[in-house]
Amino acid sequence: MSSRDRSPAAQQGSMTTHSSARTRDRAATAGFLVLLVAFIGLVLVPGYRVADQLSADTAVLKLASEQRGQPAAIAKSLVTIRDRLGSRDFVGQAVKDLGGSVQGFDQSLAQLKLSAAGNSTELRAIESLWSDYRKALDPVAGFKGLPYRDSYSSGTQLNSSGRQLQKDVRQAIKSSRGATDRLDSALAAVGASLERQVVTASATLRKLMLTGVAFACLLVALLAYFQWLKVRHERLAVEAQNQTRDILGTVKDGLFLLDADFRIGKACSASLSALFRRDDFSGMTLEDLLRDTVTEKTLATAMKYVKLLWGERANENLIRSINPLAEVEVHFDRGDGSRDLRYLEFDFHRVKGDRGVRHILVSVTDVTSRVMLARELKVSQANAQVQMDMLLGLLQVDPDQLVSFLDDTSAALAQVNSVLKVPARGDGDFRAKIDQIFREMHRIKGDAATLGLASVESRTHAFEDLLQDLRQRSQLSGNDFLPLVVNLDEILGHLQSIRELANRADALRTNALLTAAPTARAATATPHDAGEHGMTAPLDALAQRVATDAGKKVRLVTTGLDEVPGDLRKTVRDIAIQLVRNAVVHGIEDAGTRRGLGKDEAGLLQIQFMPGERGSELAFQDDGCGIVPERLREAAVRRGDLSASEAQQLDTKASLALIFKPGFSTHDGNGRDAGRGVGLDFVLKAIQSIGGRISISTAPGRYTRFTISLPAQSGQQEAVA
Amino acid sequence: MLEEQDIRAFVHGTTRYFEVAAQQAASVGSPYLVTEGAPEIHDYNGVIAVSGRRNGIVYFSAPRGMLTVLLMKMNESNVSHEYLCDLVGEVANTIAGNVRRDLGKDFAISVPSVVTGAGNSVDLPAGGRPVVIPIHWRSHVAKLVVCLQ
């Protein structure tokens, strides 16, 4: 199947389906990507941020909660320091604890400032409070050294730094009374604010998680859809692959793709192997494929043609019209030295892609049967036309005469073949055959002309051309006779066709007679009943045909031909045919000349048969130009038959005898009716073969008369007796 | 229908063999048709089948005497039946080669087969009149028979 067998609608439909599938796939992929990006942008990133914030807020909330006890701890440390100062106890550890608490609160405050509550009013209030409070705490927390001095006299007393510390502690305790509650309240407010934020963040995170789940479901659905598409595509691909394999395995055409290097693609139809009698096409180029099967000229033309197909601007339809491989004769080696002749039809189609021609699709079809059938049809049509023409011609011929002609001609051709069969090696042997064959062929030609069988007449004339050519050659061999055998075979075949057609014509005639009215039967029979034994009419037809060909006019008058005995009839007819042709061509002048001579425009031919007891006489006379002995002698000298001196010595009788010499003719041309020098030679031989005699009387410018004495034949003698 | 060119190719192949192998030319006798039955054959016959533009059979038929002399002329003292068979097959093969060369790819010609014995016959295709071309060599006469449809 070639792609041209697919309808354009089908191709369009297929292309549309593939295109929409591709678009759908692309849209699905784009949708998936958008969803993925949205999922990341709208769910994952915000979720991460919210979770991160939530985590931070939770930590800060915890910190804020922890710091709520810090002001109270600071106040307690201050009280401890005051008390210890009063009891003159060791205050170092209490001061150190206070310093740690102050430092811890500083750090916590710094962390709170970095948190979401960093800009809150409550934190700013805490900072302000703490800043003021810190001023009171710093001298206490930053105390170094010993606050006591010991003496024997007064025991342990506060030294100056101790007294200052005591003063600072009292001041700090005083500050702590207002600051501790306010700091606690502020921290509580910050904690509450952070808690609200945590709650909000948690709610946001919950929503994001729900959205994420929705996105995830959607993505899973999309992934499932993609998977389904993939499976579907794979199934379709496998199905398409199977279909392609089935097509390539079943299609009777050889299908393959050519790349830009003219290499055959890997996928080929199975028929390609049968078409080219080989199994492996891998790596082969088109040139490799064709090289041993077509002529070099065809191969070169084909490669140029395929190059043209790769041209983007070349019109494919125009290129296809000049395809040199549209019907190419190929030969395959059978393996036994012989070759098989096939006819293949190559069809090329360009396979186009986005970037121009991608491949050339080549389809190869074995059209041997079609080609052979077309040839046979042509031949049979021509034969049918020829046979029809012949059949129509044969219907005009008297059936008896036709049968007689066919029998006589078959016998004559058998005689010709017998002459050929006589062994011959030397030039003389071959030359001797020519005259014998010439006479037989000339007689057949005369008979055919008489019956109006132009096809036989032309064939025998062509045969005579060959003989004439051989006669003029200086040396003869068997090779020279090959054309004779070939032509003889052709004439035999033609006669066989005529015989078959004659049978059909006879059947047609019989049917016509059976179905026609009696008057019609009489009319049908009339043409053949005219004349003497049916001999005059054919002779007259021959005379008129030869005269027309020669541009002359002629009239035939016969007497006594109905009295020709049966066994002489063939001889008389053969002689009459040759003499009629001879007289019209050589004797009768053209109409203008005759008018000038005071003669009737139409030349007169007279044939008279006179039976007698001791034999018969056949007289043939024309009122033409007569025979001029001098012209005969000149022709003999010109032909090389006689020297000039020998010609001069010939008397009139001997000069007239020259016209019976084989191959002798005064006619310059080489037409179908004269010029071979065979007709009168045949007449003489025919007369001699039955023991007859011939004499000539002639008067230049007036007439020529042949008088032929024929001996009584056995049948004739019995009839006379 | 016969074609002169085809027959000439076979005749030329035959005479060429004698010219080259025997160094003594053969002459072609007067060819004729066999209109009834099949041509008589000689003792040894090299037969090739022709197909393609024409289909048919061509064979070279030679008497034992001719082939014996031909072998001796080729300085071969062994003139046994097998050698004579080989020789007539070789003549047929040479004819086939010449025809392939002269007529190109139009003709597909089989490898020769050999038929022996004057009483045997070579099967000819129906519908063709065989042409017999006598081949004269020294005092012997062989025949080339061409029967193409």
Side-chain angles (χ1 to χ4, degrees), chain A residues 325-340:
Chain A
L325 300 178
E327 185 184 296
V328 64
E329 183 180 307
V330 296
H331 300 260
F332 295 105
D333 199 336
R334 285 185 174 136
D336 60 357
S338 63
R339 297 177 76 82
D340 188 16

Side-chain angles (χ1 to χ4, degrees), chain B residues 68-138:
Chain B
T68 304
V69 176
L70 188 56
L71 269 181
M72 293 168 72
K73 184 82 177 165
M74 293 161 74
N75 295 322
E76 178 55 61
S77 57
N78 188 337
V79 292
S80 65
H81 174 73
E82 286 72 25
Y83 270 64
L84 295 174
C85 286
D86 286 348
L87 180 60
V88 80
E90 186 182 310
V91 176
N93 199 35
T94 306
I95 294 170
N98 271 273
V99 170
R100 281 194 203 101
R101 188 196 60 200
D102 293 349
L103 301 179
K105 292 178 174 176
D106 288 352
F107 271 108
I109 302 176
S110 72
V111 290
S113 60
V114 174
V115 175
T116 59
N120 279 326
S121 63
V122 175
D123 290 333
L124 298 175
R129 267 181 288 272
V131 181
V132 179
I133 302 111
I135 304 294
H136 298 272
W137 185 70
R138 296 166 73 100

Side-chain angles (χ1 to χ4, degrees), chain A residues 86-147:
Chain A
S87 61
R88 304 305 185 255
D89 283 341
F90 178 68
V91 296
Q93 185 58 44
V95 169
K96 192 177 177 182
D97 290 345
L98 178 66
S101 297
V102 169
Q103 194 175 0
F105 196 82
D106 277 343
Q107 288 173 351
S108 299
L109 202 58
Q111 284 184 16
L112 286 170
K113 278 183 73 178
L114 292 173
S115 73
N119 292 323
S120 65
T121 313
E122 291 82 358
L123 193 61
R124 278 200 297 274
I126 291 171
E127 276 183 318
S128 176
L129 277 171
W130 178 250
S131 176
D132 294 339
Y133 190 28
R134 178 87 189 264
K135 286 174 186 169
L137 292 175
D138 282 346
V140 180
F143 178 80
K144 305 284 185 196
L146 292 173

Side-chain angles (χ1 to χ4, degrees), chain A residues 2-4 316 320 347-351 359-361 363:
Chain A
S2 64
S3 66
R4 69 179 172 194
E316 188 162 345
R320 192 173 293 163
D347 205 0
F348 298 89
H349 299 271
R350 293 191 288 192
V351 181
H359 292 102
I360 302 291
L361 172 66
S363 64

Side-chain angles (χ1 to χ4, degrees), chain A residues 467-504:
Chain A
L467 291 168
Q468 185 73 4
D469 176 55
L470 293 181
R471 196 180 246 169
Q472 290 167 355
R473 292 190 189 184
S474 58
Q475 193 70 29
L476 291 174
S477 76
N479 266 326
D480 301 320
F481 276 55
L482 286 175
L484 299 185
V485 180
V486 171
N487 276 265
L488 179 61
D489 179 67
E490 203 274 333
I491 293 172
L492 281 169
H494 185 64
L495 276 187
Q496 181 59 33
S497 301
I498 291 179
R499 198 177 286 276
E500 289 165 5
L501 285 172
N503 291 336
R504 288 168 61 186

Side-chain angles (χ1 to χ4, degrees), chain A residues 212-222:
Chain A
V213 168
F215 267 111
C217 290
L218 205 54
L219 286 172
V220 167
L222 271 176

Side-chain angles (χ1 to χ4, degrees), chain A residues 172-441:
Chain A
I173 290 172
K174 188 179 177 184
S175 296
S176 73
R177 286 177 189 139
T180 299
D181 291 341
R182 278 185 286 179
L183 280 172
D184 184 56
S185 300
L187 283 168
V190 167
S193 170
L194 283 170
E195 198 171 334
R196 282 196 300 276
Q197 286 186 24
V198 166
V199 169
T200 306
S202 297
T204 305
L205 189 59
R206 199 162 42 248
K207 287 176 185 170
L208 284 172
M209 284 180 70
L210 286 173
T211 309
V213 168
F215 267 111
C217 290
L218 205 54
L219 286 172
V220 167
L222 271 176
L223 279 174
Y225 175 67
F226 283 141
Q227 188 61 28
W228 175 76
L229 276 183
K230 186 183 171 189
V231 170
R232 186 167 169 264
H233 284 167
E234 282 175 358
R235 196 180 69 243
L236 287 174
V238 169
E239 197 176 329
Q241 212 169 20
N242 289 339
Q243 286 177 357
T244 304
R245 192 181 61 236
D246 290 345
I247 289 169
L248 290 177
T250 311
V251 68
K252 289 185 178 177
D253 292 354
L255 294 177
F256 60 89
L257 291 170
L258 281 183
D259 64 14
D261 296 326
F262 309 124
R263 291 204 175 279
I264 296 171
K266 288 180 182 172
C268 304
S269 64
S271 300
L272 198 63
S273 298
L275 285 170
F276 286 92
R277 321 275 167 97
R278 65 189 314 152
D279 295 324
D280 188 16
F281 297 93
S282 59
M284 282 187 79
T285 62
L286 182 65
E287 195 172 2
D288 297 334
L289 184 67
L290 297 176
R291 185 174 291 118
D292 294 331
T293 53
V294 301
T295 62
E296 288 183 12
K297 187 180 175 186
T298 303
L299 179 61
T301 312
M303 295 313 294
K304 282 181 188 170
Y305 172 76
V306 177
K307 279 180 189 169
L308 274 181
L309 285 168
W310 284 95
E312 287 289 340
R313 299 175 66 182
N315 182 311
E316 188 162 345
N317 289 332
L318 185 65
I319 293 179
R320 192 173 293 163
S321 68
I322 57 167
N323 180 2
L325 300 178
E327 185 184 296
V328 64
E329 183 180 307
V330 296
H331 300 260
F332 295 105
D333 199 336
R334 285 185 174 136
D336 60 357
S338 63
R339 297 177 76 82
D340 188 16
L341 170 69
R342 312 295 298 172
Y343 290 90
L344 298 182
E345 179 187 86
F346 286 72
D347 205 0
F348 298 89
H349 299 271
R350 293 191 288 192
V351 181
K352 291 186 175 179
D354 297 336
R355 296 180 181 177
V357 180
R358 291 170 56 206
H359 292 102
I360 302 291
L361 172 66
V362 186
S363 64
V364 190
T365 313
D366 189 338
V367 293
T368 307
S369 302
R370 189 183 77 193
V371 171
M372 292 301 182
L373 200 62
R375 289 185 179 181
E376 285 173 15
L377 187 63
K378 194 174 177 183
V379 170
S380 68
Q381 279 176 339
N383 285 343
Q385 185 60 47
V386 169
Q387 288 191 342
M388 182 55 72
D389 292 344
M390 282 175 59
L391 185 62
L392 291 173
L394 290 176
L395 284 169
Q396 305 299 317
V397 179
D398 177 69
D400 294 338
Q401 286 186 343
L402 184 59
V403 170
S404 173
F405 166 78
L406 291 172
D407 291 343
D408 292 349
T409 304
S410 295
L413 293 178
Q415 178 60 26
V416 169
N417 197 40
S418 297
V419 172
L420 286 171
K421 195 172 179 180
V422 173
R425 290 190 73 168
D427 178 70
D429 298 335
F430 287 111
R431 207 165 288 281
K433 293 172 185 279
I434 293 176
D435 291 340
Q436 296 178 59
I437 297 172
F438 230 135
R439 280 193 290 275
E440 294 296 339
M441 280 296 167

